[in-house]
Amino acid sequence: MVAGKNNAQALARATGPPKLPPVPKLRVRKPDRADANPCLGVMSSVLGCWASQGHSAQGCAVLEQSLRACMDARKPQQTKKSNINYHLSRFYPQIVGPTKKK
């Protein structure tokens, strides 16, 4: 390989870092996304057991009971709403700096 401007690293240094467009506001999308269902793993195990051994297999009884226990368990309390977007909106003017009024 010939050293010089044909080198990918040399081209990257010559152009500099990429310029990003201005962002109107800082925001985290869906900060309060619900966690995955805790019974999902047990349910996939039951379905896999049924697929390999048949619907009425005795070997799947333990998995079926654990799935029933998981589904009957009490749902967790609702979590507190995230306030990350509130704090991002407070700090945004300090990050951007003063802007020219039209």
Side-chain angles (χ1 to χ4, degrees):
M1 178 174 222
V2 178
K5 298 247 177 184
N6 292 337
N7 189 353
Q9 293 175 346
L11 287 174
R13 276 185 265 141
T15 59
K19 304 269 182 185
L20 298 175
V23 179
K25 59 184 167 182
L26 296 175
R27 190 165 183 86
V28 175
R29 293 183 185 169
K30 299 180 182 178
D32 300 322
R33 182 177 292 165
D35 294 333
N37 189 344
C39 301
L40 193 62
V42 180
M43 184 176 192
S44 63
S45 299
V46 170
L47 292 173
C49 184
W50 284 346
S52 64
Q53 297 182 4
H55 176 66
S56 62
Q58 294 298 327
C60 302
V62 175
L63 290 172
E64 292 173 15
Q65 291 300 324
S66 62
L67 178 61
R68 284 191 184 102
C70 183
M71 296 299 283
D72 292 339
R74 217 173 162 179
K75 291 185 180 179
Q77 297 291 331
Q78 285 193 346
T79 58
K80 195 173 185 182
K81 188 174 179 182
S82 175
N83 56 6
I84 185 72
N85 287 326
Y86 167 74
H87 291 295
L88 285 173
S89 67
R90 280 187 0 179
F91 293 124
Y92 182 70
Q94 296 168 353
I95 294 170
V96 173
T99 58
K100 191 176 185 183
K101 292 186 179 182
K102 293 181 180 180

